[in-house]
Amino acid sequence: MFLSIPGIFKLALKNYLHDWQSSSGLVLALASILGPMMIVFGIKYGVISGMITNLVEEPRNREITAVYSGRYSEQWFEELGKLPSADFLVPRTRRIAATIDLKSSSAPRILHTELIPTKRRDPLLPKIVIPENSDDWLIVSESAARKLAVNTGDSIDASISRRYRGKLERVHLTLRIAAIAPIHAFERDGAFASVSLLQAVEAYRDGLAVEAFGWEGDQRDIPVNFTGFRLFARSIYDVADLKRWFNEQGIEVSTRFHEISTVQRMNENLTTIYWAIAVIGLVGFSMALGASLWVDIERKRKELSVLRLVGYSTMDITCFPLIQSMLTALLGWVLAVIFFHLVAAIINYLMLSELQEGRQVCYLSIEHYFQSFLLTCGAAFLVTLTAGLRYANIEPAEGLRDR
Amino acid sequence: MSSAVSSSAVKQQDRVSLYNLSDITKTMESGGIRFQLSVPHLNIARGEKIAIIAESGCGKSTLLDMLAFISQPTTSDQFEFYPSALTDPVEVDRYWQNNDQNSISDLRKSHIGYVMQIGGLLPFLTVRENINLSRDVLGLPDDGTAVELAQKLHISSHLKKLPGNLSLGERQRVAICRALAHNPSVVIADEPTASLDPFSADIVLKMFVDLVEELGTTLILASHSWQYVKRFGLRRLSQESRRDSTTRTMFTTIKG
Ligand SMILES: Nc1ncnc2c1ncn2[C@@H]1O[C@H](COP(=O)(O)OP(=O)(O)OP(=O)(O)O)[C@@H](O)[C@H]1O
Ligand SMILES: [Mg+2]
């Protein structure tokens, strides 16, 4: 009645080791089906998730820019900033006024650079701490830093010129290089600066006095209307939402919405194709595994009959091949994983030059290992159980004498 | 001679039943040829030594398989087995009808020792492990019985070998040891020496029967050979076979 698990386990193990040739054959067969499947899955997963990571990680994909300049009030910015889809938002001043002349002590040239407004947590300047509560700094673009031969922490002379009451005037101010922007943040000569600095530069160019910097001029209030903005959506999936908001306001914006949806669609299509292949592979895998295990049980009929003859229960008899095929599944899976790692390492090595740092073309997540293990054991278990039960249901006398 | 006396004593005094069968049939068919074994009545007492002597193909193995609970009767009126002298019989045919495989295998592992004509050893276990198999399944420890039996059958030097490295006669002796190692009620032997040369066959069978007598185990032996009946004081079951050519059936009746 009771199941003598230790006993039958020992017997199954001894038989498995004694028949090591056929056992290892089964393990190899299993690994040779499972391994390549893991490679295919690994590549699909690696490529797709690489594409998605690129999409998600590239901040420009969630940038929204206005096609034409407009006039936006502070209130408008407040409203836009409150939208859940909006992540980073700074106002822009008139582009034509947003320039500055830079001169460093270590380079002879005066560099005419664009000014780009920024503030804390600028997606284009990740990992850079942007100063708050001060305006006497710049984050220069890589190209500008090179031409000016400056480094983080250096001081630099900045000047702005204007034609005021028929005279050419120029003011100088000393700014600190707070950081050098990463190369893809801004590829031309440029400098990120606080919004207040940009506003001051614009006001000075308009002939106004800017008290904060001690610049003289007309004593009028500095207008707080902006002509543009820098806006980034919270994620690529929020871009469509923001685009709709702008359309409702009659503001024409350009986004990477089309590129995003193309990749998304491609991902969906690839996933569908992959699943079709995976399902076919899975069925083939189960059938191949099933066939080999089935043949194995047929081969062991004699041994199983002897076990029945000495009185091992139906349960024991069913467990005997089950234990062995679980062992095959485990070893085959381990071998397939080793095979996968070797091949994946080779593929990733070969593709190294094509890839961004830290990316892999072929890899699997922990869940995938887990799933493939469960799948293998499940398929092996089902087949062996079916074969075992079928065997357990024939008369013990049969199979005892035939060979 | 002494054994013949004791067995007739069993017969006359309190004859304790082990098997009690009536109206059992087993029908098999393949390739349009039918075979039917009938057992009108069969009563085997504890401690008896039974012989079934018949030609090849007459149904010896068929009967032994039913007695060893590894084959189901096609029809049965009564198929009683007495697990011990003191308890009520179990109706084995009921177990079969209810497909109660667990009760059947329990009965088999506790009470039956089976020696096949050839084979029946597990190739991946040593001789000692093979002998102990019948004890293992009952959860009995290796208490030296295996070694003792092996000594009696002169195979103790082979205990660590695998069956594949033994001669046929030695393998049969291992099978005999296993059939007796768990001290079963009955040992069923289906032509245990048929694969051996006549000289070794005699020696092995002699050792076997001596051992069975020493242990007091019931023996049911199938054989082609008449000579053993007298020599070992066996009770022979009556057997007759006839062929019916119109129905292409072979009928065998065994009773006793
Ligand atoms: N699985 C089966 N299906 C159909 N017929 C069978 C089957 N097994 C045996 N038979 C037939 O039953 C008859 C009795 O077989 P059995 O094995 O009992 O004979 P036996 O007396 O043991 O013969 P032997 O001395 O050769 O071992 C034979 O005629 C055989 O052809
Ligand atoms: Mg036979």
Side-chain angles (χ1 to χ4, degrees):
Chain A
M1 196 58 211
F2 69 97
L3 175 65
S4 39
I5 287 179
I8 207 71
F9 191 85
K10 233 162 68 187
L11 284 174
L13 206 63
K14 275 184 178 155
N15 179 229
Y16 198 73
L17 293 177
H18 182 261
D19 292 357
W20 64 270
Q21 280 161 320
S22 69
S23 305
S24 51
L26 276 177
V27 169
L28 283 174
L30 172 56
S32 66
I33 309 166
L34 190 58
M37 264 185 76
M38 288 175 94
I39 295 288
V40 172
F41 196 103
I43 291 174
K44 181 264 170 189
Y45 182 70
V47 169
I48 292 281
S49 52
M51 269 160 66
I52 301 239
T53 315
N54 273 343
L55 265 189
V56 171
E57 281 184 359
E58 174 51 58
R60 295 209 188 273
N61 284 330
R62 47 194 177 93
E63 184 167 22
I64 292 149
T65 47
V67 177
Y68 309 108
S69 55
R71 285 182 80 78
Y72 309 107
S73 64
E74 267 188 331
Q75 190 196 341
W76 182 89
F77 275 100
E78 234 166 76
E79 199 186 322
L80 175 56
K82 274 188 199 142
L83 292 181
S85 311
D87 179 35
F88 177 86
L89 174 66
V90 282
R92 260 184 190 286
T93 53
R94 284 199 321 279
R95 274 178 197 259
I96 192 112
T99 59
I100 200 159
D101 297 317
L102 298 178
K103 166 84 179 73
S104 78
S105 51
S106 41
R109 233 178 102 187
I110 292 175
L111 195 68
H112 187 69
T113 52
E114 292 177 53
L115 280 177
I116 310 112
T118 188
K119 66 173 189 190
R120 214 162 52 85
R121 303 205 303 112
D122 189 330
L124 291 186
L125 305 173
K127 295 176 203 157
I128 289 178
V129 183
I130 294 162
E132 285 173 88
N133 311 321
S134 68
D135 306 312
D136 59 343
W137 51 267
L138 288 178
I139 296 171
V140 289
S141 76
E142 225 263 345
S143 122
R146 194 157 25 79
K147 287 179 189 162
L148 293 165
V150 288
N151 275 316
T152 304
D154 291 354
S155 286
I156 193 166
D157 175 73
S159 61
I160 320 145
S161 62
R162 71 174 174 191
R163 189 167 287 279
Y164 183 64
R165 294 182 182 165
K167 264 190 349 199
L168 205 62
E169 288 185 355
R170 182 173 286 271
V171 285
H172 287 265
L173 67 164
T174 304
L175 297 176
R176 187 167 48 82
I177 305 294
I180 313 286
I183 187 150
H184 46 267
F186 195 86
E187 287 176 5
R188 290 164 303 186
D189 298 339
F192 292 86
S194 70
V195 178
S196 321
L197 184 64
L198 270 101
Q199 278 182 291
V201 170
E202 186 182 47
Y204 177 78
R205 287 238 160 82
D206 288 346
L208 301 181
V210 182
E211 268 171 45
F213 290 92
W215 299 334
E216 291 174 1
D218 296 348
Q219 294 293 325
R220 271 187 286 127
D221 281 349
I222 296 171
V224 279
N225 274 333
F226 298 99
T227 58
F229 51 84
R230 288 182 59 219
L231 171 63
F232 289 82
R234 195 163 297 279
S235 77
I236 54 168
Y237 310 104
D238 292 311
V239 170
D241 197 38
L242 282 175
K243 191 180 163 78
R244 203 172 315 115
W245 187 84
F246 279 101
N247 286 347
E248 278 164 14
Q249 301 228 334
I251 303 168
E252 199 174 329
V253 288
S254 85
T255 62
R256 297 226 181 152
F257 179 68
H258 277 290
E259 289 91 323
I260 294 167
S261 44
T262 303
V263 175
Q264 279 177 323
R265 242 194 340 270
M266 196 157 93
N267 178 24
E268 278 159 26
N269 293 343
L270 270 179
T271 306
T272 312
I273 291 170
Y274 173 75
W275 277 114
I277 294 171
V279 166
I280 294 166
L282 200 70
V283 171
F285 165 72
S286 309
M287 293 206 324
L289 180 64
S292 359
L293 289 177
W294 192 283
V295 168
D296 194 52
I297 294 198
E298 285 296 315
R299 233 171 27 76
K300 296 214 159 121
R301 258 173 86 128
K302 197 80 185 289
E303 276 89 338
L304 292 173
S305 299
V306 172
L307 291 176
R308 292 188 93 178
L309 182 66
V310 296
Y312 277 97
S313 69
T314 306
M315 190 72 159
D316 289 326
I317 303 295
T318 316
C319 279
F320 185 86
L322 218 50
I323 290 163
Q324 295 187 338
S325 63
M326 287 300 101
L327 215 57
T328 301
L330 175 68
L331 294 176
W333 178 80
V334 168
L335 203 63
V337 168
I338 293 171
F339 171 81
F340 170 79
H341 273 281
L342 287 178
V343 177
I346 293 169
I347 291 176
N348 289 330
Y349 176 75
L350 293 178
M351 299 293 285
L352 205 58
S353 52
E354 325 286 325
L355 289 171
Q356 287 178 41
E357 206 180 317
R359 291 278 167 75
Q360 293 181 323
V361 180
C362 183
Y363 80 104
L364 293 175
S365 69
I366 299 289
E367 293 101 85
H368 293 140
Y369 289 108
F370 197 62
Q371 283 162 2
S372 65
F373 181 66
L374 287 187
L375 200 81
T376 311
C377 288
F381 187 86
L382 276 184
V383 173
T384 317
L385 193 68
T386 317
L389 285 180
R390 188 192 70 111
Y391 176 77
N393 278 327
I394 64 168
E395 247 183 29
E398 267 179 70
L400 200 56
R401 293 192 175 77
D402 59 19
R403 51 188 70 205
Chain B
M1 275 322 276
S2 69
S3 64
V5 171
S6 71
S7 75
S8 64
V10 167
K11 248 178 245 169
Q12 278 145 28
Q13 290 174 9
D14 50 346
R15 207 185 122 91
V16 185
S17 278
L18 184 64
Y19 287 98
N20 188 16
L21 279 59
S22 71
D23 281 335
I24 305 291
T25 66
K26 174 86 184 180
T27 312
M28 289 185 291
E29 184 169 351
S30 74
I33 313 274
R34 260 156 57 93
F35 169 78
Q36 183 174 327
L37 170 71
S38 311
V39 183
H41 60 86
L42 176 63
N43 196 296
I44 298 175
R46 285 187 169 269
E48 269 198 296
K49 300 199 294 291
I50 303 290
I52 304 167
I53 310 292
E55 284 166 34
S56 180
C58 284
K60 299 184 293 292
S61 301
T62 307
L63 178 62
L64 292 187
D65 285 355
M66 286 195 287
L67 293 175
F69 317 134
I70 55 173
S71 163
Q72 179 175 15
T74 311
T75 66
S76 71
D77 178 44
Q78 190 173 48
F79 195 126
E80 291 179 339
F81 178 78
Y82 292 75
S84 86
L86 303 170
T87 55
D88 287 339
V90 293
E91 296 183 38
V92 181
D93 47 345
R94 292 281 170 280
Y95 288 161
W96 280 115
Q97 279 151 27
N98 300 334
N99 195 24
D100 187 354
Q101 293 288 346
N102 285 329
S103 298
I104 294 172
S105 58
D106 279 351
L107 216 52
R108 192 156 59 226
K109 72 180 169 194
S110 308
H111 300 290
I112 307 289
Y114 199 106
V115 186
M116 302 207 325
Q117 184 171 340
I118 190 163
L121 300 179
L122 293 177
F124 54 91
L125 295 184
T126 64
V127 166
R128 187 181 188 134
E129 288 168 334
N130 260 295
I131 296 175
N132 273 323
L133 198 60
S134 59
R135 297 179 62 83
D136 284 346
V137 68
L138 284 168
L140 299 174
D142 183 352
D143 60 352
T145 307
V147 178
E148 212 175 292
L149 286 169
Q151 271 160 2
K152 290 198 166 130
L153 286 170
H154 306 301
I155 48 166
S156 51
S157 58
H158 304 304
L159 282 167
K160 290 197 177 99
K161 288 189 184 175
L162 292 178
N165 302 326
L166 298 184
S167 75
L168 281 184
E170 287 161 348
R171 284 182 219 177
Q172 284 309 95
R173 282 182 270 169
V174 176
I176 290 167
C177 288
R178 186 176 70 206
L180 291 167
H182 57 307
N183 194 20
S185 309
V186 54
V187 57
I188 294 170
D190 188 1
E191 307 186 54
T193 57
S195 58
L196 310 185
D197 64 89
F199 183 70
S200 340
D202 274 10
I203 295 172
V204 171
L205 204 62
K206 172 89 170 66
M207 290 193 276
F208 181 30
V209 176
D210 285 349
L211 198 52
V212 165
E213 270 178 359
E214 191 184 324
L215 299 168
T217 316
T218 310
L219 170 69
I220 304 173
L221 175 77
S223 177
H224 295 117
S225 178
W226 290 85
Q227 52 157 331
Y228 297 128
V229 177
K230 234 187 169 153
R231 206 166 127 205
F232 297 126
L234 310 176
R235 172 163 78 92
R236 190 190 155 230
L237 302 182
S238 91
Q239 174 273 333
E240 61 186 85
S241 292
R242 72 188 166 80
R243 216 173 281 272
D244 187 317
S245 52
T246 54
T247 55
R248 316 234 295 166
T249 306
M250 158 111 143
F251 292 98
T252 292
T253 305
I254 299 179
K255 62 189 175 197

